[in-house]
Structures are given as C-alpha cells and as structure tokens.
Amino acid sequence: MRQDDRAPFDRALHRARVSAYAPGEFVGQESFMAADEILALAVQAGIGPGVTVLDLCCGVGGPGWFLTRELRCAYLGVDASASAVAIARERASDLPCRFATAQVPPLPAGSFEVVLLLETMLAFEDKDALVREIAAALRPGGRLAFTLEEGPPLTTAERAAMPDADTVWLTPLDEFAKSLERAGLVLTWQEDHSHPHRATAQALAHAFDADAEDIAGQIGRRALDELLAAHRLWIEWLDQARVRKLALVAQRA
C-alpha cells in the first residue's frame, strides 16, 4: 500500500508495530526484519566504522539511523517519498547519517562500499536494470546486501488478491543470480529468514487487528483492510513455501 504522505501511517501503526516485535527489535523499520537481522546482514556485508553505505528505498529511515548508531558507518539513505525522508531526517537529527529524496533507478552519483536494499527488491519489475545500476555504484570489491522475496511470479489470481500488486514482483533465486552475474556481481552469502518473517507477519497482523479502531480512525478503514489483506497473504504464502524470504550478500569482482 503506497502513500505519498507517510506521516499519518507512521503515527497510526507505531503502537502496533512496537507491540509486535520482541523488546529491542523494533527500530522504526517498515518491514518484517527484526533489528538483529538488520544488524547481522550489515555485519556480513562488512559495514563498520567509516564504511560508505547507500541505502535504497530507505523509507522513514529506521534501519539507517540504527546502523549508523551501532556501526558508525558513513550512511546515505534515499527514498522516492519526500514525506518519508522528512521523517527520517527528523528522527536521525542527532546522528551523522544523511537522507535524500530520489527515484531509483537511477542511483545517486558517487561510489559506495556497500549498497543496501532491504525488503523492497520485490517492488522492481526490471531487476536487471536495477542490478546494473547498483554494480556501477559499487567500488571494486563492494557488496550488495539485500533481501529477496524468492519464488515464481504471481499468478493472475494472486495479483488480483494482493493490494498494490504492481509492486510485488517475485523472482526465483536462480534467475536473480543470473542477473547479478551479468552485472559482475557474485553471491557470497545467503540465509533463509522465511520462518521468523512468517512469525513477524502474524504478530503484525494480530497487532493491527487489535488496534483496528484507532488505526482506521487515522488512515481509514479501506487502507487498514488492504494492509491486513496483504499481511494475511504473506502469512499464507510463507506457510505454504510459496515464497521464501532470503537475506543475501553479493560482491563486485
């Protein structure tokens, strides 16, 4: 569910999101990733003090300020939503991380040691074009750290059931690995997060449902219904292994 004004959604869902995660695991993320998963992927990609990081589709910036605080990296987050970037800047005002409004692709000018893409690879239909842009932005030896919603493309019936299905483009892992190779990137590490993400999706759905009256009062019943419908589909697909949720690192030769 895409919204240009993210502030009402951020406010409306905050209480439910906090309650859905284990203590300390919610850091402002808008995804199924827990804080420990975000940190583990970043460390696996070699993010540390002074490492230059470009975070694509950063949203309201929770993982950005979290990684800047924990790992002291040189972070730049970009997102197409100006309202999301405004929230990110406000929340990270006491940290040396930067945020900018930008459509992706293209990528911002410059070269980076790590490019992050967390929980948004599925929004890009043309993954070949995206991966080529990322490879060009990475320094030699640079790493792409990302998550992938892995599986065959949605059927016509599945697209009809999923709200905003034009942002849900699943990809088999072997097909995506070929895209990486064509761009000069090689997978070096992967981990399956399907089980914990299914549990998180379930916890979020329960929390949104429990807080439904207040959430609907802020964003409207239709928006809440679409949010719940999307979460229930992800729960079903993860239950059935229709989709796998993977964390991966690829390196530029």
Side-chain angles (χ1 to χ4, degrees), residues 85-109:
V85 168
I87 293 169
R89 285 173 174 161
E90 180 180 356
R91 290 182 177 165
S93 59
D94 60 339
L95 291 166
C97 45
R98 298 177 295 132
F99 296 93
T101 304
Q103 292 287 341
V104 175
L107 270 60

Side-chain angles (χ1 to χ4, degrees), residues 44-168:
Q44 190 69 42
I47 297 178
V51 171
T52 54
V53 176
L54 173 63
D55 185 6
L56 304 178
C57 307
C58 67
V60 299
W65 63 255
F66 172 63
L67 292 178
T68 303
R69 185 190 70 194
E70 296 297 315
L71 300 178
R72 295 178 290 137
C73 54
Y75 173 95
L76 169 62
V78 298
D79 197 275
S81 169
S83 62
V85 168
I87 293 169
R89 285 173 174 161
E90 180 180 356
R91 290 182 177 165
S93 59
D94 60 339
L95 291 166
C97 45
R98 298 177 295 132
F99 296 93
T101 304
Q103 292 287 341
V104 175
L107 270 60
S111 61
F112 302 88
E113 292 169 86
V114 177
V115 171
L116 281 177
L117 190 65
L118 304 180
E119 301 286 84
T120 47
M121 187 67 78
L122 80 169
F124 295 90
E125 182 178 9
D126 188 349
K127 292 179 173 53
D128 265 338
L130 175 66
V131 169
R132 286 195 303 269
E133 290 266 354
I134 290 172
L138 284 172
R139 299 175 186 174
R143 285 83 61 199
L144 166 62
F146 65 105
T147 56
L148 182 71
E149 293 76 15
E150 194 271 341
L154 297 185
T155 65
T156 300
E158 288 169 338
R159 298 196 72 78
M162 172 60 77
D164 285 332
D166 60 334
T167 64
V168 181

Side-chain angles (χ1 to χ4, degrees), residues 14-22 203 207:
H14 180 78
R15 180 169 61 190
R17 283 171 168 161
V18 170
S19 71
Y21 288 88

